[in-house]
């Protein structure tokens, strides 16, 4: 009989963000969204800044991540992320402030601005806001 759930672990260099049994998980792969049901074929993929969707047996939630890797094997999904926050721990005001700061830097276009850094900060802030929208 097919398994109903798979193990999901989300970790960052700082902490364990989530560990639990889930029905379905979607991650932001560098080439597009990847969805995993239990017994998915083994896989490793790089992840971009974006939002994960996690479906437990009785609830669904989102997790903002800022890039990393996913490994799938034996009905176990492991996400190693640079940073990750579950939707219930995201500080909306902080993300809005980070978004405004990045937008101002990009609009100013002065030579001292690191454009790539500002663009990445903007993407992180937008992913956090999307996770709680
Ligand atoms: P900021 O400029 O607000 O620090 P950032 O995108 O530069 O944003 P990161 O370097 O990605 O921040 O993250 C630093 C730490 O702060 C990480 O532990 C991350 O999970 C946490 N963090 C960042 N923004 C938020 C937020 N809006 N809500 C909750 N935690 C956050």
């Amino acid at each position: 009989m097919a398994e109903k759930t798979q193990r999901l672990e989300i970790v960052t260099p700082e902490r364990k963000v989530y560990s639990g049994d889930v029905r379905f998980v979607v991650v932001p792969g560098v080439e597009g969204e990847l969805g995993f049901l239990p017994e998915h074929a083994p896989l490793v993929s790089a992840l971009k800044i974006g939002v994960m969707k996690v479906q437990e047996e009785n609830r669904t939630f989102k997790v903002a991540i800022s890039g990393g890797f996913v490994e799938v094997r034996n009905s176990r999904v492991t996400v190693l992320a640079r940073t990750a926050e579950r939707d219930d721990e995201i500080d909306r005001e902080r993300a809005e402030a980070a978004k405004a700061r990045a937008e101002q830097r990009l609009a100013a276009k002065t030579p001292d601005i690191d454009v790539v850094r500002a663009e990445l900060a903007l993407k992180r802030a937008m992913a956090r806001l999307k996770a709680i929208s």
Side-chain angles (χ1 to χ4, degrees), residues 3 21-22 25-26 29-31 33 36-37 39 42 48 59 65 73 79 81 92 98-99 101-102 108 114 116 119 130:
E3 287 178 53
D21 295 319
V22 304
V25 54
V26 177
V30 283
E31 284 165 23
E33 291 203 319
F36 306 120
L37 287 165
E39 298 178 1
K48 61 185 178 185
R59 104 185 149 125
I65 63 164
R73 185 159 50 104
V79 171
R92 180 189 295 274
K99 178 171 178 276
R101 220 165 36 240
D114 182 338
V116 172
E119 283 172 351
K130 187 174 162 200

Side-chain angles (χ1 to χ4, degrees), residues 6 11 15-16 24 31 36 38-39 44 47 52-53 55-56 59 61 70 73 75 83 85 95-96 111 127 131-132:
Q6 58 197 334
V11 295
R15 67 190 179 111
K16 179 169 279 191
F24 186 52
E31 284 165 23
F36 306 120
E39 298 178 1
V44 169
L47 301 176
M52 289 180 59
K53 289 162 208 131
Q55 197 181 317
E56 291 178 331
R59 104 185 149 125
F61 63 95
V70 63
R73 185 159 50 104
S75 283
T83 63
E85 306 90 36
E96 279 170 352
I132 53 172

Side-chain angles (χ1 to χ4, degrees), residues 15 17 62-65 83-87 89-90 128 131:
R15 67 190 179 111
V17 175
K62 293 180 181 171
V63 181
I65 63 164
T83 63
E85 306 90 36
R86 299 188 308 270
D87 50 16
E89 52 189 11
I90 290 174
R128 288 172 177 133

Side-chain angles (χ1 to χ4, degrees), residues 101-124:
R101 220 165 36 240
E103 282 171 343
Q104 279 162 15
R105 288 190 173 126
L106 291 169
K109 285 202 179 116
T110 51
D112 60 318
I113 294 300
D114 182 338
V115 173
V116 172
R117 184 174 164 188
E119 283 172 351
L120 290 172
L122 180 58
K123 282 185 186 167
R124 291 195 297 274

Side-chain angles (χ1 to χ4, degrees), residues 7-20 27 47 52 63-71 76-86 89:
R7 193 77 184 163
L8 172 65
E9 308 271 351
I10 305 173
V11 295
T12 72
E14 287 174 345
R15 67 190 179 111
K16 179 169 279 191
V17 175
Y18 176 82
S19 175
V27 300
L47 301 176
M52 289 180 59
V63 181
I65 63 164
S66 63
F69 293 91
V70 63
E71 178 195 50
R76 197 179 182 92
V77 178
T78 308
V79 171
L80 299 174
R82 179 190 158 276
T83 63
E85 306 90 36
R86 299 188 308 270
E89 52 189 11

